Amino acid sequence: MAGIVMFLAALLMLGIGFPVAFTFAAVAMIFGLIGGMIESFGDGNGLIGGFIVFKDMFAFMPYRIFDSIMQNKILIAVPLFVFMGVVLQKSKLAERLLESMGLLFGEIRGGIAISTVLVGALLAASTGVVGASVVAMGVISLPVMLKYKYNQSLGCGTICAAGTLGQIIPPSIVLIILGDIFSVPVGELFHEAFVPGLVLVGAYVAYILIVSYVKPEFAPIVESSVDESKMRQILRALAAILPPLLLVVCVLGSIFAGIATPTESSAFGCVGAVLLSLFYRTFSFSMLREALEESVKTTALVFTILVGATAFSLVFTYTGGDEIVEEFMTNLPGDKWGFVIFSMVVIFVLGFFIDFVEISYIVLPILAPIAISLGINPIYFAILIAMNLQTSFLTPPFGFSLFFLRSVAPPQIKTSSIYKGVVPFIIVQLMVLAFFCYFLMR
């Protein structure tokens, strides 16, 4: 049971507020040392023998890190797609899209909220940076919603939910990480995740339309104050949408057509993002430097967590924790359905407390071989997990989208309104997840 105690200790430290990467590494070192001492004293080898066992346990750690990180071509796509998203974010892409979509859908009841969801989907397919999407839409869309007397909770929930679409709509960093963990082609994950992403967008829009017509006071009709024809508004919208959409088609199209690998297409996307910044006349060397610095920080965070998670999983396996989990999961009632349902519940609950990166590198390496042994398609299982991990950005108390919106929301917006607003969208996500769980696992 040492492995289970080790996992609970890590969760406790995270709840207290210790940094994620250092928490997993520290817990691994402490429990590795304790495990070495117990084994050594049990064999009558004493204190010195305990340190020898501890040293032997971590002897292969440098080789494991080098093999799983430094020589992993799939993970090269992570910093490249991050850089692509940051450059597009700094090119004022969100502002152009929101302004154009607002003109097109503003006269429909709930139109500003609908345009926010559609812009969130376009930003997800072009940038995939959740924090940047939520902040941009919070700065631009939320004041407009408040101006036209939108319900605060509906507005906040829409922005948070739309901003998280980058977790499931390709090119998603989550899908790249899952492709590495499940050892499946990232291109196939991108291809299979496209439809669930669009269905989720449609479900968000349907919910907004239903709320808008059941409670009209929640989302009033906005009369257009722009003195131009509808055709000109459509042309303006197309001018804002087509350039980033063309980049998305080129990046994802090259992957789906088999012309390029995700890593190669991510490099192409970086070049395309810089060219778009030149097209929008927002390029500068200071902007490029800021984009590079943000990309390095994000990449360093992900890979530092990966190193800590590698140490954690090594000790967890050494203590036999993986065998206990595997025995428990394979003996659940309902065969693969029991395993899938229990896995989804565990991942959803963990999403309340820890981020998707930690869940991916700590929990999923244990679940992946069990799923394969039960005959579950690893690509479909990874898609379900990606949809589930998306909720971790919305679930309080540690949903990152909630923090991002709180940081830019006007003073009159209460934190309780943000929390209340995301609950219906979490329910919508879970309903869509249940639908695809039945559809993909049958």
Side-chain angles (χ1 to χ4, degrees):
M1 297 299 292
I4 307 300
V5 175
M6 174 182 171
F7 187 80
L8 295 175
L11 290 181
L12 177 62
M13 291 181 67
L14 290 174
I16 295 174
F18 283 94
V20 174
F22 303 121
T23 293
F24 286 122
V27 170
M29 297 294 286
I30 294 171
F31 276 82
L33 183 59
I34 293 174
M37 293 297 176
I38 292 174
E39 180 177 337
S40 177
F41 277 103
D43 295 337
N45 294 322
L47 184 64
I48 301 299
F51 281 103
I52 293 175
V53 173
F54 174 76
K55 180 181 73 68
D56 291 341
M57 190 187 309
F58 285 93
F60 292 99
M61 177 62 69
Y63 303 100
R64 187 167 179 174
I65 292 174
F66 186 81
D67 182 62
S68 62
I69 300 177
M70 303 303 294
Q71 291 186 327
N72 194 326
K73 295 181 180 180
I74 295 176
L75 294 180
I76 296 175
V78 173
L80 294 175
F81 274 127
V82 170
F83 175 76
M84 169 185 162
V86 173
V87 170
L88 289 176
Q89 179 254 327
K90 291 184 177 297
S91 300
K92 308 297 182 182
L93 176 65
E95 289 84 339
R96 291 180 175 84
L97 291 175
L98 284 168
E99 180 183 357
S100 302
M101 288 291 191
L103 291 174
L104 287 180
F105 294 95
E107 297 180 10
I108 301 174
R109 188 174 297 281
I112 300 177
I114 293 173
S115 65
T116 300
V117 171
L118 296 179
V119 169
L122 288 171
L123 290 176
S126 53
T127 69
V129 182
V130 172
S133 299
V134 173
V135 168
M137 291 188 290
V139 170
I140 301 166
S141 290
L142 190 56
V144 177
M145 292 184 190
L146 296 177
K147 175 183 177 181
Y148 290 103
K149 309 300 182 183
Y150 267 63
N151 178 267
Q152 290 186 3
S153 296
L154 176 63
C156 293
T158 300
I159 291 171
C160 289
T164 63
L165 289 170
Q167 299 302 100
I168 184 65
I169 295 179
S172 164
I173 303 301
V174 173
L175 295 176
I176 296 173
I177 292 175
L178 293 180
D180 176 52
I181 293 172
F182 282 88
S183 299
V184 296
V186 176
E188 290 188 30
L189 279 179
F190 281 2
H191 185 271
E192 296 295 337
F194 206 76
V195 171
L198 293 180
V199 170
L200 195 57
V201 172
Y204 286 167
V205 172
Y207 166 73
I208 292 170
L209 287 173
I210 292 172
V211 171
S212 301
Y213 281 90
V214 171
K215 295 185 177 181
E217 69 277 9
F218 275 29
I221 295 176
V222 178
E223 298 294 337
S224 177
S225 58
V226 179
D227 188 18
E228 61 181 5
S229 64
K230 197 67 177 178
M231 180 57 68
R232 188 168 179 81
Q233 292 179 15
I234 294 174
L235 291 176
R236 283 182 59 188
L238 289 176
I241 295 170
L242 286 179
L245 190 60
L246 179 62
L247 177 61
V248 171
V249 170
C250 291
V251 171
L252 296 182
S254 62
I255 298 174
F256 296 162
I259 300 173
T261 65
T263 302
E264 293 166 344
S265 65
S266 64
F268 175 81
C270 292
V271 176
V274 173
L275 292 178
L276 275 183
S277 68
L278 290 170
F279 174 77
Y280 289 136
R281 297 180 180 179
T282 56
F283 177 84
S284 66
F285 285 104
S286 62
M287 182 274 287
L288 183 62
R289 179 179 178 178
E290 290 176 6
L292 288 169
E293 288 178 350
E294 288 190 27
S295 302
V296 168
K297 290 177 182 178
T298 303
T299 305
L301 174 65
V302 172
F303 282 81
T304 304
I305 293 174
L306 177 53
V307 172
T310 302
F312 186 91
S313 62
L314 178 68
V315 178
F316 187 80
T317 303
Y318 178 83
T319 59
D322 59 331
E323 297 177 2
I324 296 175
V325 174
E326 182 176 358
E327 182 181 357
F328 174 78
M329 298 293 272
T330 52
N331 290 324
L332 286 171
D335 196 33
K336 71 174 184 180
W337 280 107
F339 168 76
V340 170
I341 293 172
F342 187 81
S343 299
M344 293 299 112
V345 171
V346 168
I347 292 171
F348 177 71
V349 173
L350 288 176
F352 280 80
F353 307 102
I354 58 179
D355 189 23
F356 75 94
V357 180
E358 300 90 82
I359 296 174
S360 298
Y361 284 119
I362 297 298
V363 179
L364 300 189
I366 302 172
L367 299 181
I370 302 175
I372 295 173
S373 67
L374 291 174
I376 298 173
N377 187 315
I379 292 180
Y380 292 160
F381 190 55
I383 297 299
L384 295 178
I385 291 173
M387 297 181 68
N388 200 338
L389 288 175
Q390 186 181 347
T391 62
S392 68
F393 275 82
L394 296 178
T395 48
F398 298 119
F400 281 93
S401 290
L402 312 179
F403 297 149
F404 292 140
L405 183 59
R406 176 68 275 176
S407 66
V408 297
Q412 66 265 34
I413 297 293
K414 298 180 180 179
T415 302
S416 59
S417 297
I418 300 176
Y419 282 17
K420 181 180 177 182
V422 298
V423 171
F425 288 94
I426 294 173
I427 295 173
V428 170
Q429 284 186 348
L430 293 178
M431 291 173 62
V432 174
L433 174 62
F435 168 77
F436 277 100
C437 188
Y438 172 77
F439 180 75
L440 295 177
M441 292 293 108
R442 64 178 181 175

